[in-house]
Amino acid sequence: MTNDKIIELAKDVLNQDIGALKQMIDNFPYGFVDAVNYIANELTGKVIVAGMGKSGYVARRLATTLASTGTKSFFLHCAEASHGDMGIIEDNDCVIAMSNSGETKEMKNVLDYTRRFGIKLIAICNNPESSLGKVADINITIPDVSETCVIGKAPTTSIILLSAISNALIYALENLKGLTGDMYKNWHPNGKLGASLLKVSELMHISSELPLVKKDANMMEILDVMGRKVRFGCVGVIDEDGRICGIFTDGDIRRRLHEGIDIMKKTAYDVMGRSPKLIGPDTLASTTLLMLNENKIQTMFVVDNDKKPIGIIGFHDLLKAGVA
């Protein structure tokens, strides 16, 4: 098989998946709205997402992502449910049962349990007349499409649809519950995600650590501050009111010397860069990293609403925190 043929086959799969998604958009399952409103506004317990096989993997991912974005949720393996795990379902919970065909045999005991104890049941399947669809309180019906498989049987395109409607459910609930970066950070305290949601105020150096000089400082004063606070490689220049009006870096020393300027006879105001990049204390660490990279700089001063310096943060601070 040629490389061109391999690419052609891959594109055929992608086009079939896109076509299936378009079909779901054009015939949107309006049970979705009922499910979102119920979970967001009426549910007092947790969401139990049940599945089996390939659909079970999507169900597990839905449960864990719901839990990490503000909706209390757990995954229930349908086979394990019949061996004791059914006990995680409580009276005020609801069950989202995910099965493409709606005929997953291992799911029967879960469905029977919800009916016996009056547990709200939300079905995600391709057939509202299936064993699952018939007993559900709410049906989110996805298209019944051909699988992108040589024999047309292996779960492929159907998994794309199940994943896509799961994403839509997650996103809708995030919005209705008012998910914020602070909330997300609390649920993800470790790892790169949690680090990227840290604020500058949690990482910046403050008070006596700030390398600052007045605008009329001479070069000896500037070099003294830079030498004592060498980690930053710069000094911030403040005006008579204590506001940042410029910045002078160790790179500026080289550049001024290259330009033939006798910097030892100059003041901070004479040699400083007059457009320093500044940030506020509530800026996210991830945004700070982006600004440093975009401006090709290593350090930024943190200022209050009056442009007065309250901190300084550098690339190495972000690196140490796990953001970079």
Side-chain angles (χ1 to χ4, degrees):
M1 185 181 295
T2 65
N3 291 342
D4 286 345
K5 181 60 177 177
I6 293 171
I7 293 173
E8 181 185 341
L9 290 172
K11 288 182 176 180
D12 284 344
V13 171
L14 295 177
N15 282 323
Q16 288 182 61
D17 290 343
I18 291 169
L21 289 168
K22 182 67 165 57
Q23 186 177 335
M24 185 160 63
I25 292 172
D26 292 341
N27 299 278
F28 193 79
Y30 285 98
F32 177 89
V33 176
D34 296 331
V36 169
N37 283 328
Y38 177 77
I39 294 171
N41 302 318
E42 299 180 47
L43 180 64
T44 58
K46 58 190 180 293
V47 175
I48 305 297
V49 189
M52 187 76 189
K54 304 298 188 297
S55 297
Y57 287 112
V58 181
R60 185 186 297 273
R61 202 272 303 184
L62 172 58
T64 57
T65 308
L66 283 175
S68 71
T69 54
T71 301
K72 196 172 193 179
S73 180
F74 293 92
F75 171 69
L76 177 63
H77 189 286
C78 289
E80 297 296 337
S82 298
H83 296 275
D85 284 4
M86 205 87 76
I88 71 170
I89 306 175
E90 298 177 300
D91 292 343
N92 56 347
D93 293 341
C94 83
V95 171
I96 297 177
M98 187 175 287
S99 166
N100 182 49
S101 67
E103 298 293 350
T104 303
K105 293 180 180 178
E106 293 87 349
M107 190 173 279
K108 184 178 185 304
N109 286 340
V110 176
L111 304 185
D112 290 346
Y113 187 91
T114 66
R115 301 306 80 190
R116 186 180 311 121
F117 294 102
I119 308 296
K120 194 80 166 184
L121 177 62
I122 300 170
I124 302 180
C125 65
N126 69 31
N127 182 9
E129 297 303 314
S130 63
S131 300
L132 169 58
K134 282 182 178 179
V135 298
D137 299 298
I138 298 174
N139 265 291
I140 300 176
T141 306
I142 63 173
D144 184 7
V145 296
S146 299
E147 305 286 6
T148 49
C149 166
V150 172
I151 60 173
K153 298 294 183 182
T156 48
T157 305
S158 62
I159 297 302
I160 296 292
L161 294 180
L162 289 172
S163 296
I165 202 66
S166 296
N167 290 344
L169 184 63
I170 292 162
Y171 187 67
L173 289 170
E174 286 175 355
N175 278 271
L176 284 174
K177 289 176 176 288
L179 180 70
T180 65
D182 283 340
M183 294 162 64
Y184 196 72
K185 183 184 69 175
N186 289 335
W187 300 322
H188 297 78
N190 294 324
K192 196 150 190 165
L193 275 175
S196 68
L197 291 168
L198 289 170
K199 291 181 179 179
V200 166
S201 59
E202 300 174 80
L203 300 173
M204 68 185 186
H205 303 271
I206 60 173
S207 305
S208 60
E209 292 186 90
L210 297 184
L212 297 172
V213 296
K214 294 180 179 179
K215 60 190 295 186
D216 60 355
N218 61 43
M219 189 52 59
M220 290 303 295
E221 291 175 281
I222 294 172
L223 293 176
D224 178 59
V225 173
M226 290 182 73
R228 285 187 288 108
K229 300 172 183 182
V230 67
R231 75 170 75 175
F232 303 117
C234 69
V235 294
V237 183
I238 55 175
D239 62 18
E240 298 84 354
D241 298 317
R243 297 183 178 91
I244 287 275
C245 61
I247 189 170
F248 186 69
T249 70
D250 50 12
D252 287 326
I253 296 175
R254 295 188 295 273
R255 284 186 285 273
R256 299 296 183 270
L257 290 173
H258 183 73
E259 293 165 1
I261 297 173
D262 186 356
I263 60 173
M264 298 308 294
K265 296 180 179 180
K266 302 294 183 179
T267 65
Y269 188 77
D270 295 328
V271 294
M272 70 183 189
R274 305 198 178 196
S275 300
K277 302 300 179 185
L278 307 173
I279 53 172
D282 291 330
T283 305
L284 289 178
S286 55
T287 303
T288 304
L289 177 62
L290 181 63
M291 293 175 68
L292 290 173
N293 288 333
E294 286 181 343
N295 291 285
K296 296 181 172 60
I297 56 178
Q298 293 291 311
T299 308
M300 282 195 293
F301 279 93
V302 186
V303 296
D304 61 17
N305 292 334
D306 201 28
K307 211 176 175 181
K308 292 182 179 179
I310 58 174
I312 186 170
I313 189 168
F315 177 80
H316 289 291
D317 299 313
L318 301 174
L319 185 65
K320 185 177 179 181
V323 182

